[in-house]
Amino acid sequence: MPIHLVWFRADLRIHDNLALAAACRNKNARVLALFLATPGQWQRHLMAPRQAAYLHAHLNNLRQQLAEKGIPLLYDEVDDFAAQAEKVAQICAEHEVTDLFYNYQYEVNEQQRDRALERSLQQVTCQGFDDSVILPPGSVMTGNHEMYKVFTPFKNAWLRRLKEGMPECASAPTPRGEEAVPAHASPLDFDYPQQPFDAGLFPPTEKEAIAHLRHFCKEGAGEYEAQRDFPAIEGTSRLSACLALGVLSPRQCLHRLVAEQPRALEGGPGAVWLNELIWREFYRHLMTYHPDLCKHRPFIRWTEQVAWQHDEKQLHAWQQGQTGYPIVDAAMRQLNETGWMHNRLRMITASFLVKDLLIDWRIGERYFMSQLIDGDLAANNGGWQWAASTGTDAAPYFRIFNPTTQGQKFDADGAFIRRWLPELASLPDKAIHDPWIWADKQGVTLNYPRPVVDHKQARAATLAAYEAARKA
């Protein structure tokens, strides 16, 4: 009898899981599942404690769902990727596995681990799948068969390629026998710090994630373009945490979007949220063709010459939401409190760290990863390099957000700021974005810091630093 082993990594779901579906296709095969926790590797990759808690919830949900299909989930904990590969090989030998199924991961360390494992498993057939993307890397290329470096041409080519044939979603497997886990089985656990997450904001089961996706595509995707930039409004999907752990697939997102918003592919309602899915694809494809992006290297090499400042006091003020710029501080406190930040605010806070404080973007990238429940290397790196003007298709280095006017534009009445900065709650709407100008005129002392930098002066210093680096 064939023994099929499905190795789950960042794909914690039973619906539209290409590796799981392929493993279950042979009705005569015995199917086993496997998850190996790697706390040492997670620590090196700065996994946020909230993301660890989210993973923990979904791992236990996955075990129960697999059990209902008659598929036992084997579980163990090892330190890092090297030990992970050794453990997989050991399990394959112990269970006389004939075929190993898994979904590709595109980061450098993960790819090296998989190649090493494939070389060592000479008696096992390894089958990998492009599951975390809608279109696989290499399928959307320029006429010279090179990876696109600019988003818009990539998007146009991606849409043309998609219209040739939309990839289907794979069904969840049909039951293969009796439930595989006894009802009294203790929860799976791992030795890594965990921090509670808000289950109302981040669906803790696959069933709830699917329901959340359906609701957003029906009720929110059509309004996304109009509402997405205003953090006081629940105008975004908040599905990024599900996508980061593979609780939902991007194909599920695409199919549900098109089902609820039929004109999304033609630029109608829902097209702007589709754009977000394509940005996600763009960054994952880029990482495959430019592995240095996984190694803290900028895409635009001359930016390595920027003379960054090393001001621990200013960095701490940014991290703690104490910069004296209300929209920046409210955003950072949202991140620290919830493990999530609104996308417009990710751009504003990243721009502030890099372009106002002139602090190396990689420090901000690492801090975000240490806090984000939706931490994802490709998306986080892509966003930071965009804000820092170091990446492909990045904002030009001379485009520098003014944090005060950004707040005035996207949180005009200060509703978001008041939620996260209660010390400013009683200020008039017009005063809340520049509170010290108002306070000094009124002779009032605020329990809120004065700005750590003057934006106009900081902007000039940043432009000089980038121009010096470009000419170096």
Side-chain angles (χ1 to χ4, degrees), residues 150-439:
V150 178
F151 174 71
T152 300
F154 173 85
K155 180 185 85 168
N156 293 337
W158 189 95
L159 286 168
R160 285 195 300 272
R161 173 78 170 74
L162 185 73
K163 288 170 184 176
E164 293 172 9
M166 192 182 297
E168 292 301 319
C169 290
S171 301
T174 54
R176 305 182 75 82
E178 296 299 312
E179 186 158 331
V181 178
H184 63 269
S186 58
L188 302 175
D189 211 349
F190 43 72
D191 183 19
Y192 193 85
Q194 295 182 40
Q195 198 171 356
F197 63 91
D198 187 335
L201 298 177
F202 306 104
T205 68
E206 182 180 351
K207 183 178 179 181
E208 289 170 284
I210 292 170
H212 186 97
L213 170 65
R214 287 180 173 177
H215 177 77
F216 173 76
C217 288
K218 186 174 183 179
E219 305 292 338
E223 302 298 318
Y224 180 77
E225 181 175 10
Q227 298 185 344
R228 63 178 178 144
D229 280 320
F230 301 96
I233 301 171
E234 283 295 333
T236 65
S237 71
R238 285 192 190 269
L239 289 169
S240 50
C242 295
L243 284 163
L245 293 184
V247 176
L248 291 171
S249 80
R251 289 175 303 281
Q252 286 174 294
C253 294
L254 175 65
H255 278 273
R256 179 50 52 184
L257 175 65
V258 172
E260 302 292 352
Q261 307 291 341
R263 294 178 50 236
L265 291 176
E266 282 73 48
V272 177
W273 192 64
L274 174 62
N275 249 21
E276 302 295 343
L277 294 176
I278 304 173
W279 270 107
R280 182 179 178 277
E281 300 265 306
F282 182 53
Y283 287 142
R284 288 177 114 69
H285 286 219
L286 272 173
M287 187 163 282
T288 305
Y289 283 89
H290 300 281
D292 273 1
L293 296 176
C294 298
K295 302 175 183 178
H296 314 296
R297 299 292 300 279
F299 193 88
I300 299 173
R301 288 302 166 85
W302 65 259
T303 63
E304 289 187 306
Q305 306 304 316
V306 174
W308 304 111
Q309 300 297 304
H310 302 281
D311 190 319
E312 287 297 323
K313 188 175 179 182
Q314 289 190 347
L315 173 62
H316 184 74
W318 177 81
Q319 290 172 333
Q320 299 306 311
Q322 296 285 347
T323 68
Y325 286 90
I327 195 68
V328 173
D329 294 339
M332 294 304 294
R333 293 190 204 180
Q334 180 188 40
L335 173 66
N336 294 335
E337 182 69 25
T338 69
W340 184 84
M341 189 192 288
H342 184 279
N343 189 56
R344 166 59 58 174
L345 302 182
R346 295 188 198 209
M347 293 189 281
I348 293 171
T349 53
S351 176
F352 186 84
L353 182 75
V354 178
K355 303 281 182 72
D356 282 77
L357 303 184
L358 201 56
I359 290 175
D360 192 332
W361 58 273
R362 286 162 282 218
I363 294 172
E365 180 192 14
R366 288 196 290 272
Y367 186 73
F368 268 33
M369 283 300 284
S370 76
Q371 299 297 316
L372 285 170
I373 193 171
D374 63 355
D376 174 277
L377 177 60
N380 189 47
N381 178 273
W384 273 94
Q385 294 223 40
W386 182 90
S389 306
T390 63
T392 177
D393 203 37
Y397 72 91
F398 48 80
R399 181 183 297 161
I400 299 176
F401 284 169
N402 180 319
T404 304
T405 56
Q406 287 284 307
Q408 292 166 340
K409 185 174 182 180
F410 298 113
D411 190 33
D413 61 0
F416 180 80
I417 290 170
R418 286 187 175 85
R419 179 179 174 190
W420 294 102
L421 306 183
E423 61 269 43
L424 299 182
S426 62
L427 269 65
D429 292 357
K430 289 184 178 179
I432 203 164
H433 301 286
D434 219 339
W436 278 103
I437 291 179
W438 174 86

Side-chain angles (χ1 to χ4, degrees), residues 133-144:
V133 286
I134 296 168
L135 298 178
S139 66
V140 183
M141 307 290 277
T142 69
N144 295 327

Side-chain angles (χ1 to χ4, degrees), residues 51-241:
Q51 189 170 46
Y54 200 53
L55 189 156
H56 180 259
H58 280 288
L59 178 62
N60 281 283
N61 178 245
L62 174 68
R63 177 172 69 162
Q64 185 56 46
Q65 290 196 96
L66 289 169
E68 291 167 5
K69 303 295 185 182
I71 301 172
L73 177 66
L74 309 176
Y75 175 79
D76 208 341
E77 181 178 311
V78 296
D79 182 63
D80 58 15
F81 285 159
Q84 208 177 35
E86 291 174 8
K87 177 61 72 170
V88 173
Q90 177 187 328
I91 288 169
C92 285
E94 287 175 1
H95 292 271
E96 299 180 340
V97 170
T98 57
D99 300 83
L100 176 66
F101 299 80
Y102 54 83
N103 294 314
Y104 292 129
Q105 293 178 286
Y106 301 116
E107 299 86 348
V108 163
N109 292 339
E110 287 85 335
Q111 287 197 334
Q112 289 174 343
R113 171 202 61 197
D114 290 352
R115 284 195 290 268
L117 178 63
E118 287 177 7
R119 286 193 295 269
S120 70
L121 291 178
Q122 296 184 359
Q123 306 303 314
V124 178
T125 301
C126 296
Q127 298 188 47
F129 301 86
D130 288 296
D131 177 79
S132 71
V133 286
I134 296 168
L135 298 178
S139 66
V140 183
M141 307 290 277
T142 69
N144 295 327
H145 204 71
E146 295 175 348
M147 177 61 203
Y148 284 96
K149 298 177 181 178
V150 178
F151 174 71
T152 300
F154 173 85
K155 180 185 85 168
N156 293 337
W158 189 95
L159 286 168
R160 285 195 300 272
R161 173 78 170 74
L162 185 73
K163 288 170 184 176
E164 293 172 9
M166 192 182 297
E168 292 301 319
C169 290
S171 301
T174 54
R176 305 182 75 82
E178 296 299 312
E179 186 158 331
V181 178
H184 63 269
S186 58
L188 302 175
D189 211 349
F190 43 72
D191 183 19
Y192 193 85
Q194 295 182 40
Q195 198 171 356
F197 63 91
D198 187 335
L201 298 177
F202 306 104
T205 68
E206 182 180 351
K207 183 178 179 181
E208 289 170 284
I210 292 170
H212 186 97
L213 170 65
R214 287 180 173 177
H215 177 77
F216 173 76
C217 288
K218 186 174 183 179
E219 305 292 338
E223 302 298 318
Y224 180 77
E225 181 175 10
Q227 298 185 344
R228 63 178 178 144
D229 280 320
F230 301 96
I233 301 171
E234 283 295 333
T236 65
S237 71
R238 285 192 190 269
L239 289 169
S240 50

Side-chain angles (χ1 to χ4, degrees), residues 31-57:
V31 179
L32 306 172
L34 171 66
F35 186 87
L36 295 174
T38 53
Q41 198 78 42
W42 295 344
Q43 188 68 50
R44 287 190 280 281
H45 288 171
L46 299 174
M47 182 194 280
R50 277 195 184 84
Q51 189 170 46
Y54 200 53
L55 189 156
H56 180 259

